[in-house]
């Protein structure tokens, strides 16, 4: 056994995993409270490996939990792969959240890494959780990584480039990393008095509390708690980005104190974010700038007056960010389309086409004549790209629905109020005299937005970022993802951002590359 107090020797522990509750005690990790499991995991190359690991189940990560079912985490530590002993004492820790749709997410019933016994398996999910989202409007063949209703039940499965389900937790384990799967409260939770207790900022507060638990147990918990890499998809991707952007911000202190979070750092080393549904208070404007002219799956256009007003407002917002890109100067609403085409969309199509056989490439190009293929490079216009994507997924406004029906309206609910507006535009449309979100809302809106912290050059943020989205993902604007990456680049952070060509919401086409990236940045 290596230093750090973690024994690698096999240890018998009968029956199901011991439940290590900290509800009434200090948040001390019990290294002996595991079940030893053996499972076969297929690596990213498609090869099977026998992985022996220690599974620590349903550890409550705060001393004053509101709901332990959600405020608990599982830890999986590899001890042998294909019979060869693994020492994970100093391994990076993948903190893989399974949040989808800003819904509650629990790992309490998982029987192993990746949930293993999952209800509502991601592959069976039907579309996203936002306003106007419907299964039939799903923009591509890719399944959503999130369930649209009910509770998330662990697991981080997404579709890889071969149409196979890949679980990042399992992949990290077979790579030799320590895997932490945290649960978190979510927007739909309501107690017997009708009070919503998982609305903003509960989910991010819980994820921070999970990080604090790990860091408070430095030296006791297997893995390097100074090398925590978080991952998440969609709402989970936004929360992963927010974890990365807001490390050690005192703005969450009262919330963390309230639930009895450990007194430790909640900064993480690196952040992996797939199709982050982030920057919610600007997402309606961004959506119309991006998808405004695209029809809904019904063939109808959204209210064009609403769409145009939001698009106009977006120009001011984009200019206010003062983002700069090499070869583009300041990226405004006037050159953002060209910026996204040159920086992301054309390289994405190029990579996709280059990987095809000559016959398959010729067939794709014949069916998609908007692409010019020359010298091994794809070029096309933004307008043609939009036509190629086709139906937009959401009505207008996409996030702050006039009728308060979106998941995000619920996210900003409070007390016994299920849903609230969170943008001046929708408030005004509803004839509210106060034209801006007021009371507790402005602070909560900031606490949910990684762009708020990035805009403040927040020093506690992660300096390493992995950002991905599919080019046919119209759950949010591609500019949300592009601006997240560019704002971090402008701060000098290490950003690996890429878009998957023709991929829809929740896809992950390069999970092996992510594992290699973790090794590179944490090494
Ligand atoms: C998710 C999808 C959405 O369209 C949205 O608005 C919020 C979350 C999701 O899949 O997590």
């Amino acid at each position: 056994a290596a230093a750090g107090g973690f024994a690698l020797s096999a240890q018998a522990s009968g029956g199901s995993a011991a439940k290590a509750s900290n509800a009434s005690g200090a948040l001390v990790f019990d290294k002996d409270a595991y079940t030893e499991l053996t499972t076969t995991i297929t690596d990213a190359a498609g090869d099977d490996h026998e992985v022996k690991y220690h599974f620590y189940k349903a550890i409550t990560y705060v001393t004053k939990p509101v709901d332990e079912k959600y405020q608990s985490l599982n830890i999986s530590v590899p001890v042998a792969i294909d019979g060869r002993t693994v020492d994970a004492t100093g391994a990076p820790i993948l903190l893989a959240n399974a949040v989808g749709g800003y819904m509650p997410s629990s790992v309490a019933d998982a029987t192993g890494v990746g949930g293993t016994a999952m209800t509502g398996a991601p592959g069976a999910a039907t579309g996203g959780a936002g306003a106007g989202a419907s299964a039939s409007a799903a923009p591509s063949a890719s399944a959503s990584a999130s369930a649209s209703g009910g509770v998330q039940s662990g697991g981080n499965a997404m579709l890889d480039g071969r149409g196979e389900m890949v679980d990042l937790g399992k992949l990290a384990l077979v790579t030799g990393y320590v895997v932490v799967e945290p649960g978190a409260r979510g927007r739909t939770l309501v107690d017997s008095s009708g009070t919503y207790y998982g609305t903003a900022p509960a989910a991010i507060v819980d994820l921070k509390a999970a990080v604090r638990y790990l860091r408070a147990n430095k030296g006791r918990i297997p893995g390097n708690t100074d090398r925590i890499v978080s991952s998440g998809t969609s709402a989970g991707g936004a929360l992963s980005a927010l974890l990365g952007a807001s490390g050690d911000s005192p703005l969450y202190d009262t919330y963390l104190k309230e639930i009895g979070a450990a007194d430790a750092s909640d900064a993480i080393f690196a952040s992996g974010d797939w199709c982050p549904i982030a920057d919610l208070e600007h997402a309606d404007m961004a959506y119309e700038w991006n998808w405004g002219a695209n029809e809904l799956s019904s063939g109808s256009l959204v209210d064009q007056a609403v769409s145009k007003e939001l698009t106009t407002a977006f120009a001011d917002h984009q200019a206010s960010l003062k983002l700069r890109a090499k070869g583009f100067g300041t990226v405004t609403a006037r050159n953002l389309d060209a910026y996204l085409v040159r920086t992301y969309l054309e390289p994405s199509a190029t990579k996709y086409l280059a990987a095809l056989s000559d016959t398959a490439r010729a067939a794709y190009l014949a069916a998609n004549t908007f692409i010019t293929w020359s010298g091994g490079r794809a070029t096309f216009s933004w307008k043609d790209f939009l036509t190629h994507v086709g139906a937009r997924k959401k009505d207008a406004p996409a996030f702050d629905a006039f009728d308060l029906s979106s998941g995000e309206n619920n996210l900003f609910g409070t007390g016994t109020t299920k849903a609230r507006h969170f943008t001046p535009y929708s408030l005004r449309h509803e004839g509210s005299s106060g034209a801006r979100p007021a009371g507790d809302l402005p602070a909560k809106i900031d606490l949910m937005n990684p762009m708020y912290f990035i805009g403040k050059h927040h020093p506690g943020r992660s300096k390493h970022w992995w950002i991905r989205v599919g080019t046919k993902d119209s759950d949010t604007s591609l500019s949300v993802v592009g601006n997240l990456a560019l704002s971090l680049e402008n701060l000098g952070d290490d950003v690996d951002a890429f878009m998957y060509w023709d991929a829809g919401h929740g896809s992950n086409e390069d999970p092996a590359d992510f594992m290699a990236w973790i090794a590179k940045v944490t090494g």
Side-chain angles (χ1 to χ4, degrees):
F6 183 65
L8 286 173
S9 59
Q11 172 167 330
S13 59
S16 59
K19 187 164 154 35
S21 177
N22 294 291
S24 58
L27 297 169
V28 179
F29 174 74
D30 178 0
K31 69 179 175 57
D32 297 322
Y34 62 80
T35 304
E36 186 166 282
L37 301 174
T38 300
T39 187
T40 302
I41 297 178
T42 308
D43 70 16
D47 297 323
D48 284 351
H49 300 279
E50 190 188 77
V51 181
K52 191 197 281 185
Y53 68 105
H54 291 173
F55 184 60
Y56 298 84
K57 183 180 159 76
I59 302 169
T60 302
Y61 53 66
V62 288
T63 57
K64 292 182 271 183
V66 181
D67 194 332
E68 281 186 278
K69 176 171 180 190
Y70 304 101
Q71 293 168 308
S72 58
L73 55 79
N74 295 341
I75 304 180
S76 298
V77 183
V79 293
I81 299 175
D82 297 329
R84 281 205 314 275
T85 298
V86 171
D87 178 1
T89 310
I93 298 173
L94 180 69
L95 180 73
N97 84 64
V99 175
Y102 289 104
M103 304 285 284
S105 155
S106 174
V107 298
D109 296 329
T111 54
V113 67
T116 303
M118 289 192 287
T119 56
T126 52
S134 74
S136 60
S140 86
S142 291
S144 168
S146 68
S148 60
V151 168
Q152 300 284 306
S153 296
N156 280 276
M158 311 184 219
L159 280 178
D160 72 6
R162 296 168 304 190
E164 307 271 336
M165 293 307 289
V166 58
D167 182 280
L168 275 190
K170 287 182 175 168
L171 198 55
L173 195 68
V174 75
T175 309
Y177 303 153
V178 171
V179 179
V180 177
E181 296 169 289
R185 287 169 294 166
R187 62 181 169 81
T188 53
L189 294 174
V190 61
D191 69 17
S192 54
S193 73
T195 300
Y196 284 84
Y197 65 92
T199 53
I204 184 64
V205 170
D206 286 353
L207 293 177
K208 282 176 172 289
V211 173
R212 286 180 173 215
Y213 174 86
L214 299 174
R215 301 201 71 161
N217 281 290
K218 181 184 175 116
R220 277 191 293 268
I221 267 179
N224 185 346
T225 54
D226 293 329
R227 292 291 180 273
I228 297 173
V229 181
S230 92
S231 68
T233 302
S234 198
L239 289 166
S240 179
L242 183 55
L243 262 187
S246 66
D248 289 337
S249 166
L251 297 178
Y252 300 90
D253 280 353
T254 49
Y255 292 103
L256 287 160
K257 214 180 162 93
E258 204 170 273
I259 58 174
D263 188 12
S265 170
D266 54 60
I268 57 165
F269 186 76
S271 175
D273 317 321
W274 282 263
C275 50
I277 305 290
D279 202 10
L280 298 174
E281 70 269 33
H282 304 115
D284 288 332
M285 308 175 206
Y287 199 94
E288 297 314 315
W289 173 85
N290 190 154
W291 309 115
N294 285 41
E295 294 175 348
L296 291 159
S297 59
S298 60
S300 61
L301 289 170
V302 301
D303 185 327
Q304 287 295 292
V306 168
S307 182
K308 290 212 163 62
E309 283 177 4
L310 286 165
T311 303
T312 301
F314 177 73
D316 287 343
H317 169 65
Q318 183 68 31
S320 77
L321 297 176
K322 296 188 167 60
L323 300 178
R324 297 184 61 81
K326 219 174 145 200
F328 294 88
T330 303
V331 178
T332 66
R334 291 159 70 93
N335 62 359
L336 178 59
D337 49 359
Y339 167 75
L340 290 173
V341 169
R342 297 285 116 70
T343 310
Y344 291 107
L345 301 174
E346 287 176 348
S348 171
T350 297
K351 185 182 178 193
Y352 173 87
L353 287 163
L356 294 180
S357 69
D358 289 350
T359 318
R361 187 185 316 114
Y364 188 92
L365 291 168
N368 295 280
T369 53
F370 74 99
I371 299 175
T372 300
W373 179 253
S374 170
R377 275 190 60 222
T379 52
F380 47 83
S381 74
W382 172 250
K383 197 164 170 297
D384 286 345
F385 164 75
L386 293 178
T387 305
H388 171 67
V389 172
R392 58 185 274 166
K393 188 165 181 180
K394 297 180 176 183
D395 206 338
F399 292 87
D400 192 354
F402 291 146
D403 65 358
L404 292 172
S405 63
S406 79
E408 286 75 13
N409 290 130
N410 178 205
L411 177 64
F412 290 108
T414 191
T416 55
T417 303
K418 179 181 180 182
R420 291 189 291 177
H421 288 302
F422 53 93
T423 64
Y425 184 81
S426 290
L427 276 170
R428 245 179 273 138
H429 187 273
E430 292 311 288
S432 166
S433 53
R436 307 198 72 79
D440 60 316
L441 269 172
K444 285 179 180 169
I445 290 167
D446 288 345
L447 292 186
M448 293 307 291
N449 195 345
M451 296 298 281
Y452 168 77
F453 294 93
I454 296 165
K456 294 231 176 298
H457 303 193
H458 182 64
R461 71 183 186 280
S462 302
K463 301 303 187 304
H464 303 279
W465 298 82
W466 175 273
I467 298 169
R468 294 291 186 272
V469 70
T471 62
K472 281 199 170 177
D473 187 341
S474 65
D475 272 53
T476 192
S477 171
L478 295 177
S479 68
V480 166
V481 183
N483 281 345
L484 173 66
L486 185 58
S487 60
L488 291 162
E489 283 169 14
N490 279 193
L491 293 186
D493 291 0
D494 165 30
V495 181
D496 187 320
F498 192 77
M499 295 190 184
Y500 307 127
W501 185 248
D502 276 357
H505 190 57
S507 47
N508 179 358
E509 301 196 340
D510 52 2
D513 294 342
F514 180 58
M515 294 302 142
W517 181 83
I518 291 174
K520 187 185 83 181
V521 300
T522 62

